[in-house]
Amino acid sequence: MKLYDTPLAPNPRRVRWFMAEKGIEDIEIVSLNLIEGTHKQPEYLAKAGLPNVPALEMNDGSTVTESIAICRYLEALYPEPNLFGRTPEETAVIEMWMRRAEMMVATPFMMGVRHSHPALAALETQNPEIAEYNKAQGLRALKVLDRRLAEAEWLAANRLTIADIVGFIGIDFTRMIKLVIPEELQNVHRWAEAMRARPAAKAAMRS
Ligand SMILES: N[C@@H](CCC(=O)N[C@@H](CS)C(=O)NCC(=O)O)C(=O)O
């Protein structure tokens, strides 16, 4: 299998973190340069269908995009440690927190960074109002995470799951624009420290 990846971007990072949690080391990593537009070349588009990373060339030779779809495929191939849920109830709660983390936190922060970081002007027609709106939306949603993390060690289960990976990477990405997470969100800070301390963080955050 081959994972099409790029340094610094949050969506491929989810997959690399997921692989590191599971100890998956037998997937070739192919690094694309988004600023130079390698992901828009016909050869890549013919495989991936969209000018996006990550993409995974699967065991049957076909390619799938969408970080969560890739993680689900890898969960099926490498079931342990379980990161998507073992029972129907647990799976539903993990899905709920993963979608909240993605839609309320990660996507707004990604839009905030895309519309304000100078390096990303190559990928986005930047609009400062869109940047500010999305940063504020992401910060507001962090209060929801903080309340959840006041009552639980991890976002969705009694262990790290895909929901934590999506939430943490979404938040950590804001370092690129030096966005400060308010000190009063102590539960978010405690959880973020626990995420940074995981061995998988080294593998996923190094680029
Ligand atoms: N929903 C997709 C989002 C993929 C995505 O937006 N990837 C960004 C990098 S983080 C990308 O490829 N951007 C290329 C561009 O904007 O031209 C996923 O979860 O994989």
Side-chain angles (χ1 to χ4, degrees):
M1 288 190 279
K2 278 186 193 166
L3 179 71
Y4 293 90
D5 183 24
T6 197
L8 300 177
N11 291 297
R13 204 171 257 180
R14 291 175 182 171
V15 178
R16 276 187 278 117
W17 189 305
F18 192 87
M19 286 167 55
E21 291 288 346
K22 286 182 177 279
I24 302 171
E25 291 178 348
D26 55 350
I27 297 179
E28 182 188 345
I29 307 285
V30 180
S31 190
L32 304 186
N33 186 327
L34 298 198
I35 304 300
E36 287 177 3
T38 330
H39 62 308
K40 295 179 179 164
Q41 297 299 318
E43 197 191 331
Y44 181 72
L45 285 177
K47 272 185 201 298
L50 284 178
N52 274 341
V53 284
L56 182 76
E57 198 173 296
M58 299 186 288
N59 276 330
D60 68 356
S62 64
T63 299
V64 68
T65 63
E66 295 298 329
S67 52
I68 300 302
I70 294 170
C71 290
R72 281 196 192 282
Y73 176 69
L74 295 177
E75 176 98 341
L77 293 184
Y78 306 83
E80 296 297 335
N82 174 286
L83 296 174
F84 272 99
R86 292 191 192 281
T87 64
E89 291 75 17
E90 191 183 72
T91 304
V93 173
I94 293 170
E95 182 81 19
M96 176 180 80
W97 280 106
M98 179 186 69
R99 291 178 70 79
R100 287 179 176 177
E102 173 150 48
M103 292 190 286
M104 296 168 68
V105 177
T107 301
F109 280 148
M110 187 177 78
M111 294 301 281
V113 176
R114 278 183 79 100
H115 279 272
S116 61
H117 194 286
L120 298 183
L123 297 178
E124 190 66 73
T125 307
Q126 293 182 322
N127 178 332
E129 283 178 21
I130 294 180
E132 289 316 306
Y133 172 79
N134 277 286
K135 283 188 239 172
Q137 288 291 100
L139 283 170
R140 193 166 307 130
L142 286 189
K143 293 183 189 158
V144 176
L145 261 53
D146 198 70
R147 283 202 298 276
R148 169 62 176 169
L149 291 165
E151 65 194 26
E153 186 178 357
W154 303 101
L155 272 182
N158 60 0
R159 61 183 189 282
L160 173 135
T161 66
I162 183 71
D164 299 286
I165 296 174
V166 170
F168 176 76
I169 290 175
I171 294 168
D172 193 67
F173 188 53
T174 61
R175 281 189 296 129
M176 280 181 76
I177 51 169
K178 300 188 171 51
L179 189 84
V180 176
I181 306 303
E183 215 31 65
E184 75 230 34
L185 299 178
Q186 286 181 10
N187 302 299
V188 168
H189 282 287
R190 184 259 308 150
W191 163 82
E193 271 314 303
M195 291 297 284
R196 278 187 209 101
R198 292 186 79 81
K202 282 195 189 62
M205 307 309 279
R206 67 169 176 254
S207 63

